[in-house]
């Protein structure tokens, strides 16, 4: 009986020890990721260095490799976390039973608000490629979340018959493009008509491009009211898709 209790005590102590080690590892990994984000702000993605990250968190360089195997792994973790954070933000904004045009504007505003709050992470995701880095396949799912949220609004409106009819000239799509659009519909899990999918793609790329212009100063000394410009452009994009509210948002 005594040996049984001792065995139980040893097992319990071992479990507690493992839990403590796991928590410590998670905390140190979080500190490394935070240091990586700070480096994005000062050095840019191309200048990210595990040696500098180690200095920032007070570790020797060799110790960092027990938590992050390489600079590319650190980049991948930062990219996945950023995509998931942006995706969750846009998904929350896109939810609800409001008019599709209102949902689209809310989701777009969420994109810009997150980007303005996290400019270096946004540019890591949508800025220039990092030399020598190739994003692995496990970034694809997180990267799709903001896009799926935006296209989901359009798909809901289409299935509900809430999209405004388009003129024949607006609906014309070149034949060679149709196979690409079919692949896009399949990838997104949507069933949008070709012309609507083209319009939604144009709106999506313009939206992210407009945010990128703002963050990189392309409109400096020209535009002073970026939020108002963004809203006006998004309303125009929504109308191009066919998301026309009865009244202005």
């Amino acid at each position: 009986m005594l040996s049984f209790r001792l065995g139980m005590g040893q097992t319990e102590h071992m479990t507690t020890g493992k839990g403590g080690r796991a928590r410590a590892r998670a905390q140190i990994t979080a500190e490394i990721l935070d240091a990586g984000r700070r480096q994005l702000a000062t050095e840019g993605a191309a200048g990210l260095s595990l040696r500098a990250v180690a200095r920032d968190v007070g570790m020797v360089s060799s110790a960092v490799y027990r938590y992050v195997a390489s600079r590319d792994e650190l980049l991948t973790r930062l990219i996945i976390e950023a995509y998931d954070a942006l995706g969750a933000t846009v998904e929350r904004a896109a939810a609800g039973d409001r008019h599709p045009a209102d949902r689209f504007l809310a989701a777009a505003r969420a994109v810009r608000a997150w980007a303005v709050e996290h400019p270096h992470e946004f540019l890591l995701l949508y800025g220039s490629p990092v030399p020598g880095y190739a994003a692995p396949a496990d970034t694809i799912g997180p990267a799709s979340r903001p896009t799926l949220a935006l296209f989901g609004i359009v798909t809901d409106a289409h299935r509900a018959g809430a999209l405004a009819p388009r003129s024949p000239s607006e609906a014309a799509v070149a034949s060679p493009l149709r196979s690409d659009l079919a692949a896009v519909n399949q990838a997104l899990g949507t069933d949008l008509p070709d012309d609507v999918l083209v319009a939604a793609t144009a709106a999506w790329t313009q939206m992210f491009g407009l945010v990128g212009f703002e963050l990189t100063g392309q409109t400096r000394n020209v535009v002073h009211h970026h939020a108002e410009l963004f809203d006006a452009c998004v309303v125009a994009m929504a109308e191009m898709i066919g998301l026309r509210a009865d009244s202005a948002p």
Side-chain angles (χ1 to χ4, degrees), residues 161-167 170 196 239 241-244:
L163 290 177
R166 301 170 64 76
S167 69
E170 289 178 315
V196 175
E239 291 182 352
I241 296 169
L243 298 170
R244 296 170 187 165

Side-chain angles (χ1 to χ4, degrees), residues 31-220:
E31 291 175 4
I32 290 171
L33 292 174
D34 286 342
R37 279 186 282 271
R38 289 192 294 272
Q39 266 210 21
L40 288 178
T42 58
E43 307 298 330
L48 191 64
S49 161
L50 281 184
R51 186 179 298 275
V53 166
R55 286 197 303 269
D56 197 355
V57 296
M59 299 173 67
V60 296
S61 299
S62 58
V64 172
Y65 290 97
R66 294 202 294 266
Y67 301 91
V68 180
S70 64
R71 182 213 68 159
D72 283 7
E73 183 183 324
L74 177 57
L75 267 175
T76 297
R77 290 194 183 194
L78 291 172
I79 286 168
I80 289 174
E81 283 199 356
Y83 272 131
D84 278 334
L86 174 59
T89 299
V90 179
E91 287 162 1
R92 286 192 296 270
D97 295 328
R98 297 159 292 166
H99 190 286
D102 296 331
R103 291 176 60 203
F104 193 78
L105 179 58
R109 283 173 170 167
V111 170
R112 180 181 175 273
W114 188 89
V116 169
E117 188 174 350
H118 306 88
H120 304 291
E121 291 170 77
F122 183 89
L123 293 175
L124 172 65
L125 303 181
Y126 300 104
S128 300
V130 180
Y133 173 77
D138 53 358
T139 61
I140 294 174
S144 302
R145 291 180 65 179
T147 306
L148 289 171
L150 290 163
F151 278 76
I153 298 168
V154 183
T155 301
D156 290 347
H158 166 63
R159 292 174 180 172
L163 290 177
R166 301 170 64 76
S167 69
S169 61
E170 289 178 315
V173 174
S175 297
L177 182 59
R178 290 174 186 162
S179 60
D180 290 342
L181 296 175
V184 171
N185 260 328
Q186 183 175 6
L188 294 176
T190 56
D191 54 0
L192 296 172
D194 287 349
D195 58 311
V196 175
L197 189 53
V198 168
T201 302
W204 167 57
T205 54
Q206 288 173 31
M207 181 189 305
F208 282 78
L210 190 60
V211 173
F213 262 45
E214 178 183 352
L215 295 183
T216 56
Q218 300 299 319
T219 51
R220 187 185 297 116

